[in-house]
Amino acid sequence: MKTKKASASWYIAATHYLTAGFVVPLIVSLVYSFMIFPKIGSIDSTVLWVVELVISILAIVLGVIYSARYLQKTYIIQEKDKIVLLSSIYFFLVTGAFVAMGSFTRSFFGVSSLWNIADYIFRLAAFYLVSKKFVTNTEEAVVSTQSSTPAV
């Protein structure tokens, strides 16, 4: 059995955010962009936004489930609420910075920017709520200490 590591809450939260809120959605968006998006053709921008919102939320949900299982196997989690809150703050700050940079490159109050902000809010809410459900506290692994000297 693999022994679990005791790490600081901020480190576990960063691992959770990077896995569930960054890497998995990035991979899903790349697959969507290169494989599915070119085959869609021309559809209404509102329908396209809804499709992209559903895909991004699905990517967050799948990423959180994967990350929660990984954290459960790898780390000793004693304060799940703190980890969920910290990882949500990381999501808010880092992903929010990307959304803000994208919004400032076009007119800030354009329809596209408002959709990006709404998408960001939905993804943040999904990340927090699904993390709250799937990230759980773990029991400390009990390691038996046996003497290596033979009994006489």
Side-chain angles (χ1 to χ4, degrees):
M1 183 175 139
K2 184 178 175 183
T3 59
K4 296 180 182 186
K5 296 184 250 181
S7 295
S9 295
W10 67 267
Y11 184 82
I12 298 171
T15 302
H16 179 61
Y17 162 69
L18 288 173
T19 304
F22 190 77
V23 173
V24 172
L26 178 67
I27 292 169
V28 169
S29 68
L30 287 173
V31 169
Y32 169 75
S33 296
F34 290 116
M35 299 179 90
I36 299 170
F37 185 70
K39 294 180 173 58
I40 290 177
S42 63
I43 59 173
D44 184 37
S45 63
T46 306
V47 173
L48 183 62
W49 178 75
V50 170
V51 168
E52 289 177 353
L53 177 66
V54 168
I55 289 172
S56 66
I57 289 176
L58 182 64
I60 296 269
V61 169
L62 293 175
V64 167
I65 292 170
Y66 172 76
S67 177
R69 288 181 182 168
Y70 173 76
L71 294 178
Q72 192 75 17
K73 287 190 281 188
T74 309
Y75 297 104
I76 297 170
I77 301 174
Q78 296 174 341
E79 300 172 316
K80 87 169 192 112
D81 293 330
K82 186 175 180 180
I83 290 168
V84 169
L85 181 63
L86 280 172
S87 61
S88 297
I89 290 170
Y90 297 155
F91 188 98
F92 175 79
L93 294 174
V94 176
T95 307
F98 284 118
V99 170
M101 285 189 307
S103 295
F104 287 130
T105 58
R106 7 183 161 29
S107 66
F108 186 71
F109 291 105
V111 173
S112 177
S113 293
L114 293 177
W115 283 357
N116 286 343
I117 293 169
D119 178 60
Y120 165 68
I121 291 169
F122 284 123
R123 288 185 295 143
L124 176 62
F127 181 83
Y128 178 77
L129 294 172
V130 176
S131 292
K132 197 86 164 139
K133 179 176 179 169
F134 285 100
V135 175
T136 58
N137 289 332
T138 58
E139 299 285 329
E140 231 179 284
V142 178
V143 179
S144 62
T145 57
Q146 296 178 352
S147 174
S148 62
T149 59
V152 184

